[in-house]
Amino acid sequence: MDYAGSDTTTGPEADHQGPRSWQTDRSRAPAVTKIVIAGGFGVGKTTFVGSVSEITPLRTEAVMTEAGEAVDDFEAVPDKDTTTVAMDFGRITLESDLVLYLFGTPGQKRFWFMWDDLVRGAIGAVVLVDTRRLEDCFPALDYFESGGLPYIVAVNHFEGTARYEPEVVREALSLPAQVPVLVMDARKRITVVDTLLTLVGRALEITPGRL
Amino acid sequence: MTAAPVISAVGPVARAAAPGRRTARVRPYSLTGGRTRFGHVLLVETFVAASADPDEEPAPAPGGLAARVMPEVRAIVGLCRRLRSVAEVSALLKMPLGVVRVLLGDLADQGRIRVYGTGDATGRPDRALLERVQSGLRRL
Ligand SMILES: Nc1nc2c(ncn2[C@@H]2O[C@H](COP(=O)(O)OP(=O)(O)OP(=O)(O)O)[C@@H](O)[C@H]2O)c(=O)[nH]1
Ligand SMILES: [Mg+2]
């Protein structure tokens, strides 16, 4: 790819409103924060992000070795195989000077190397669950339970499949009583916003007030 | 040619080296706690922008990292005419996140890229920020 020759002034972003005012003012930057959406393959992470994002979800890749280390070097390690991990993300400008990013990340344990970095500074995580493959979310739950990051469980309900009450899911996942569980639809913006609000509410519950 | 698939996995940056020559190893710049050597915090959501008008950029010193990966560096600086997050730079230029962070870290340490928002960027959001996010989401 010829980087120098490509038009990088506007970039291939698809934001239907065009550039936001904060993007064109380099004298200051908005406050920025993020939420992580974790879950197994095909559970609806990218759909979830796309339902609220003001840009078409963008894909970024991290390269890791088989040993599970991130590669931040130009020369790959010759004796180790590497894999690429894709992460989709979206963006919401909540105020002219407040931006929220949503990062969808695969839930397998071998991606934990990426999460330590990804969750730093995050509001918390939404663990997305498909009740037909409940076990896919176990690694993500284990990770967030042990890391102390606020998290909630969102059941992405695919129509035509059995619908379980949140309390049934809570029991099946042996979730502590204080962790919110809700049933939503990753394609419906309103339920995605509700899910995000539930997470922020949970984060507020466990964030100490100013003394 | 055991290294070939590995290089293609790292992407365009690896191809910036002269053909037939082994890419010189860039110092493995460890980003402990998401920080570069000079203390810039480069999380995925961290905003960056060009410090000066990219058209007035000086030519990089020959032999340095910037000269070796010049097309990528120029692309980053060009893209950063506008405020971008680290993740956006990686996605829009299709460069792996780790590589982008090394380049951005280098550019920041050279003063060519400005990194916004430092302070307690690696800590958890405080109540004031959470409340702002909450009202923002309610307005959607
Ligand atoms: N019927 C239905 N389909 C959905 C729902 N959510 C996602 N899908 C579909 O399920 C498929 C997978 O959704 P994605 O959003 O790509 O899932 P993902 O978790 O990002 O998948 P990977 O990134 O490949 O792991 C897509 O074809 C979606 O259109 C839902 O709530 N109902
Ligand atoms: Mg996806």
Side-chain angles (χ1 to χ4, degrees), chain B residues 33-125:
Chain B
R35 261 167 222 276
T36 75
R37 256 189 323 164
F38 295 143
H40 294 111
V41 178
L42 287 174
L43 304 179
V44 280
E45 73 276 23
T46 303
F47 283 122
V48 294
S51 314
D53 188 334
D55 299 325
E56 288 159 23
E57 276 270 308
L65 166 64
R68 241 182 308 131
V69 291
M70 206 163 61
E72 285 78 10
V73 163
R74 221 188 276 148
I76 290 177
V77 175
L79 191 73
C80 291
R81 264 168 239 252
R82 217 180 254 182
L83 216 60
R84 309 282 185 180
S85 62
V86 171
E88 281 163 2
V89 173
S90 163
L92 295 173
L93 296 179
K94 298 188 171 32
M95 289 188 210
L97 209 44
V99 169
V100 162
R101 295 216 308 188
V102 171
L103 292 177
L104 280 174
D106 231 49
L107 287 165
D109 290 350
Q110 290 168 33
R112 294 167 67 192
I113 284 283
R114 178 168 167 200
V115 179
Y116 297 81
T118 41
D120 194 25
T122 56
R124 294 272 305 287

Side-chain angles (χ1 to χ4, degrees), chain A residues 3-4 13 23 26 34 59-61 72-76 82 91 95 97 101 117 121 150 204 207 209, chain B residues 6 12-13 22 25-26 29 45 81-84 88 90-91 93 97 101-102 116 123-124 127 132:
Chain A
Y3 287 116
E13 293 166 293
Q23 285 186 289
R26 295 199 306 239
K34 68 188 161 192
R59 165 157 300 203
T60 179
E61 294 184 338
D72 62 358
D73 202 349
F74 295 99
E75 185 190 40
T82 60
R91 188 182 74 204
E95 292 171 28
D97 61 348
Y101 280 93
D117 201 58
L204 273 166
T207 302
Chain B
V6 163
V13 168
R22 221 173 136 70
R25 177 174 278 275
V26 171
Y29 199 72
E45 73 276 23
R81 264 168 239 252
R82 217 180 254 182
L83 216 60
R84 309 282 185 180
E88 281 163 2
S90 163
L93 296 179
L97 209 44
R101 295 216 308 188
V102 171
Y116 297 81
R124 294 272 305 287
R127 293 190 72 85
R132 280 179 70 192

